[in-house]
């Protein structure tokens, strides 16, 4: 079966802008997101406790945010192509229900929802991944998966494929041998 892992934050919606907005309240000097060139740049500005608590807050408030305009079509096109879609997000367990509700509310198609701190456990059963994390994409590529994501300031260096939008991601996936 053509199983594919699809990330949520910065893949199906603009998590970074929500994060940027909220972080300013506790760290006014926090750089604008165009300057987030590494995945752990935030460590110079806030503590891990602050970082993870803002992320959790945003995830619990998921209802307040909309997906990218192309997200719904992207997922239905993958379905049409015969993909089995595992939506996988690095989130705390307690966010499962709010996340599932958000996906359903916006008619974002999926077969499975995986919420955990480690997506790599899915790599064995999957052929491809769409994610924005350079760490996750790098590990996936190394494990032999087709690894592709939206181009972000923090993922520009790496051994994986980057696209400008989800339409381009779909076109790329369609051309791959599955
Ligand atoms: Mg992400």
């Amino acid at each position: 079966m053509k199983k594919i892992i699809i990330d949520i934050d910065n893949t199906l919606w603009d998590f970074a802008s929500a994060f940027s907005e909220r972080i300013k309240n506790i760290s006014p000097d926090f750089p604008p997101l165009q300057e987030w060139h590494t995945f752990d740049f935030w460590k110079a500005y806030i503590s891990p406790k602050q970082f993870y608590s803002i992320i959790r807050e945003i995830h619990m408030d998921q209802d307040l945010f909309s997906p990218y305009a192309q997200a719904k079509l992207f997922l239905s096109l993958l379905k049409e192509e015969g993909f089995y879609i595992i939506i996988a997000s690095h989130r705390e367990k307690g966010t499962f229900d709010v996340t599932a509700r958000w996906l359903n509310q916006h008619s974002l198609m999926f077969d499975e929802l995986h919420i955990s701190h480690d997506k790599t456990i899915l790599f064995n059963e999957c052929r491809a991944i769409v994610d924005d994390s350079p760490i996750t994409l790098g590990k996936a590529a190394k494990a032999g998966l087709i690894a592709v994501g939206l181009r972000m300031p923090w993922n520009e260096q790496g051994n994986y494929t980057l696209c400008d939008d989800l339409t381009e991601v779909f076109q790329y996936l369609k051309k791959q041998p599955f």
Side-chain angles (χ1 to χ4, degrees):
M1 197 188 292
K2 294 199 296 186
K3 283 193 179 184
I4 188 166
I5 302 165
I6 309 285
D7 171 43
I8 298 180
D9 297 333
N10 302 315
T11 294
L12 294 180
W13 79 286
D14 185 9
F15 173 88
S17 294
F19 181 82
S20 188
E21 192 64 36
R22 293 193 183 195
I23 198 77
K24 280 183 196 135
N25 299 326
I26 56 167
S27 174
D29 298 334
F30 208 80
L33 60 104
Q34 297 76 15
E35 291 171 26
W36 300 357
H37 292 301
T38 61
F39 216 51
D40 60 357
F41 73 94
W42 55 269
K43 288 180 177 163
Y45 302 90
I46 49 167
S47 69
K49 200 180 162 190
Q50 289 174 309
F51 180 73
Y52 291 111
S53 97
I54 291 175
I55 290 176
R56 187 185 156 81
E57 263 175 39
I58 295 171
H59 287 157
M60 291 309 286
D61 287 346
Q62 188 69 59
D63 286 342
L64 301 176
F65 306 103
S66 296
Y68 286 136
Q70 297 178 331
K72 182 181 167 184
L73 180 64
F74 172 67
L75 293 167
S76 25
L77 288 173
L78 288 177
K79 266 328 271 178
E80 271 174 37
E81 283 295 310
F83 282 97
Y84 181 94
I85 301 170
I86 303 179
I87 300 264
S89 185
H90 188 144
R91 297 180 176 215
E92 287 182 27
K93 284 274 180 270
T95 65
F96 187 95
D97 290 349
V98 70
T99 306
R101 191 167 68 227
W102 182 78
L103 292 166
N104 290 325
Q105 247 165 18
H106 294 280
S107 309
L108 299 172
M109 287 182 120
F110 63 98
D111 295 288
E112 247 177 71
L113 174 59
H114 175 91
I115 301 286
S116 81
H117 294 296
D118 185 13
K119 297 179 194 185
T120 65
I121 60 166
L122 300 169
F123 285 3
N124 266 344
E125 56 173 315
C126 294
R127 306 281 304 279
I129 182 167
V130 184
D131 207 292
D132 67 296
S133 156
I135 298 162
T136 305
L137 286 172
K139 283 181 184 171
K142 217 172 170 184
L145 275 76
I146 293 159
V148 53
L150 295 178
R151 183 174 288 109
M152 298 290 173
W154 52 89
N155 67 15
E156 281 170 340
Q157 310 294 329
N159 196 16
Y160 38 75
T161 302
L162 295 171
C163 296
D164 289 324
D165 58 37
L166 290 174
T167 304
E168 206 181 296
V169 172
F170 177 73
Q171 294 305 335
Y172 172 76
L173 286 169
K174 217 179 153 181
K175 280 186 251 156
Q176 302 309 305
F178 278 95

